[in-house]
Each structure stands twice: as C-alpha cells, then as structure tokens.
C-alpha cells in the first residue's frame, strides 16, 4: 500500500476456464443461495522432503490454493475454520510435524459451508473437482484427461484415459490466462487481481487451518 505498483498474486486456479465458468454461474445466481462449496484436490505423489521442509506446511503450501478458490467463488471469507490433518502417505512428512492428508471446513458469514479435502497421494492422477450446491441447483467441474472419449469393448466398459498427471498439465491454460489478465490490467490501468490483500487473507485462513488441526478446535482467522 505504501508503494502502489501493479501487483498480482499467482493463484492460477482462478484463471482455469472451468473454474472461471463455475464462479460466473454462482455469481450470476444460477444455483440461487449457496449452501455448500466443495473442493477436492489430491496430488499424484508427495513432493521431495527438501520441499516439504521449506513449504511452510501443507495448509500454507497446498490447501491455500483451494482456500483462495473457494473464497473467490463465494465472494466472502470465512469467520471460522475447522481443520483436521493426518499423515497417512509419507511418515517422513509426519516426522517434520506436517500432514499429508487434510479435511477443512470454512464457515462463511452468509452461513454457507465450504468443504475442502486434500491428499498428497492419488493413485489415479491429479484429482481436481469443485462443486457448488445451492437452492436452485448445482454446478460442478470435472477432472481432465488427455482423451475424453469413453470406450465400450469386450475387454472393458467405460474405459477412459487416466487423469492429467499434475498441475502443469491440468492447469496449463490457466497460466496463460493469468499472464493475459495481468497484461490487460496493467496496460488498461486497472489493479490486477488476485491482489496482495487476497493473498494475505488466504494466508491468514491457511494459518488458522493449521492451528485448528493442531489444537482440534475451530479458529477465527486473524485478518
């Protein structure tokens, strides 16, 4: 704020075309009053331990992307969070005092509830799904594959290609869209988004989630 230069945070999932369409549908009132938002984010394998040690913890490193996405879709930030974490994938992660499996609930000022589930192991690829449920219906995003054709043969029914491997493949287009949005904002004189304030809020929520998981109680984020 003291040095007002154009600043945009790299929460690229906002710029994924399907996430963007889901957010637009929610904001346009297609599903009416929002009751639930749900995000599933499961990685194919845990990262190297050197990365884990420098990551700031699972909620700050990984879950924070889901936190920002859910707040952006909802258009509000939680008043309380309740999170639980466990280590079921890589014992070395637990030895560092971190988690590799987590479930998070955010309670929004409107009363809407947000559920986020994360895991650092997913045998079938990079599982990325979002659902918004409301008074008038539901909108969902689905997993991506290199080939979406469904095959029915004598050997297998509903045979499909595996999921995209990881974030570089699944969210490839989002990185291009984020750069385009930053360029358009700067060249047009607008403030880019996500902003530093968005990033600070997501961090406050992630830290509250980590505290909740450690202490086993609801925590109010310190915005």
């Amino acid at each position: 704020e003291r040095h007002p230069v154009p600043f945009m945070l790299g929460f690229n999932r906002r710029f994924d075309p399907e996430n963007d369409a889901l957010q637009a549908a929610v904001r346009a009132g297609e599903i009416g009053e929002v009751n639930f938002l749900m995000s599933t984010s499961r990685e194919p394998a845990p990262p190297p331990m050197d990365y884990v040690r420098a990551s700031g913890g699972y909620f700050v490193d990984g879950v924070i992307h889901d936190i920002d996405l859910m707040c952006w879709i909802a258009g509000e930030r939680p008043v309380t969070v309740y999170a639980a974490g466990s280590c079921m994938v890589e014992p070395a992660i637990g030895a560092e005092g971190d988690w590799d499996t987590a479930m998070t609930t955010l309670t929004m000022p409107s009363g809407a509830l947000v559920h986020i589930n994360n895991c650092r192991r997913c045998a079938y690829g990079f599982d990325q799904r979002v659902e918004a449920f409301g008074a008038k219906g539901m909108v969902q995003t689905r997993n991506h594959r290199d080939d979406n054709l469904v095959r029915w043969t004598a050997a297998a029914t509903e045979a499909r290609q595996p999921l995209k491997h990881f974030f570089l493949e699944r969210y490839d287009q989002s990185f291009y869209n984020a750069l385009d949005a930053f360029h358009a904002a700067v060249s047009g004189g607008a403030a880019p988004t996500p902003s530093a304030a968005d990033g600070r809020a997501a961090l406050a929520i992630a830290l509250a989630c980590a505290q909740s998981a450690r202490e086993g109680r609801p925590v109010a984020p310190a915005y």
Side-chain angles (χ1 to χ4, degrees):
E1 291 172 350
R2 290 193 304 271
H3 304 282
V5 296
F7 180 99
M8 189 176 90
L9 201 66
F11 279 134
N12 65 292
R13 294 185 193 185
R14 292 191 185 198
F15 297 94
D16 172 69
E18 290 186 11
N19 286 339
D20 182 54
L22 185 144
Q23 190 260 12
V26 171
R27 295 294 185 89
E30 288 186 24
I31 63 169
E33 181 183 31
V34 176
N35 299 129
F36 299 126
L37 291 175
M38 288 171 274
S39 178
T40 294
S41 186
R42 303 165 186 165
E43 305 164 20
M49 286 309 301
D50 286 347
Y51 179 90
V52 170
R53 294 185 185 102
S55 70
Y58 197 20
F59 288 98
V60 170
D61 169 48
V63 184
I64 196 169
H65 286 280
D66 302 275
I67 289 169
D68 176 73
L69 187 63
M70 296 294 98
C71 291
W72 177 64
I73 293 170
E76 53 184 348
R77 295 168 179 163
V79 291
T80 59
V81 309
Y82 184 80
S86 60
C87 189
M88 302 183 67
V89 178
E90 175 52 68
I93 292 177
E96 294 293 328
D98 200 2
W99 305 276
D100 55 33
T101 306
M103 281 197 171
T104 304
T105 300
L106 312 179
T107 301
M108 297 302 196
S110 65
L113 298 177
V114 175
H115 169 78
I116 301 169
N117 72 87
N118 303 84
C119 190
R120 287 205 185 274
R121 176 182 60 199
C122 186
Y124 50 87
F126 192 41
D127 191 354
Q128 297 287 292
R129 290 170 283 141
V130 174
E131 178 180 307
F133 171 81
K136 295 180 180 179
M138 175 179 69
V139 286
Q140 296 175 322
T141 66
R142 295 187 173 181
N143 280 312
H144 286 201
R145 294 172 168 84
D146 289 330
D147 177 357
N148 287 312
L149 190 67
V150 180
R151 295 170 172 82
W152 297 70
T153 68
T157 58
E158 296 193 31
R160 304 183 70 182
Q161 290 293 315
L163 303 186
K164 296 282 189 178
H165 175 63
F166 205 10
F167 69 93
L168 289 177
E169 295 84 4
R170 167 61 182 84
Y171 288 114
D172 175 69
Q173 187 60 43
S174 72
F175 294 103
Y176 294 99
N177 293 350
L179 289 170
D180 288 343
F182 179 75
H183 178 267
V186 172
S187 61
T193 183
S195 67
D198 292 327
R200 188 184 189 282
L203 178 58
I205 298 165
L207 292 172
C209 289
Q211 181 182 351
S212 175
R214 287 193 304 269
E215 299 178 2
R217 65 179 182 88
V219 174
Y223 295 120

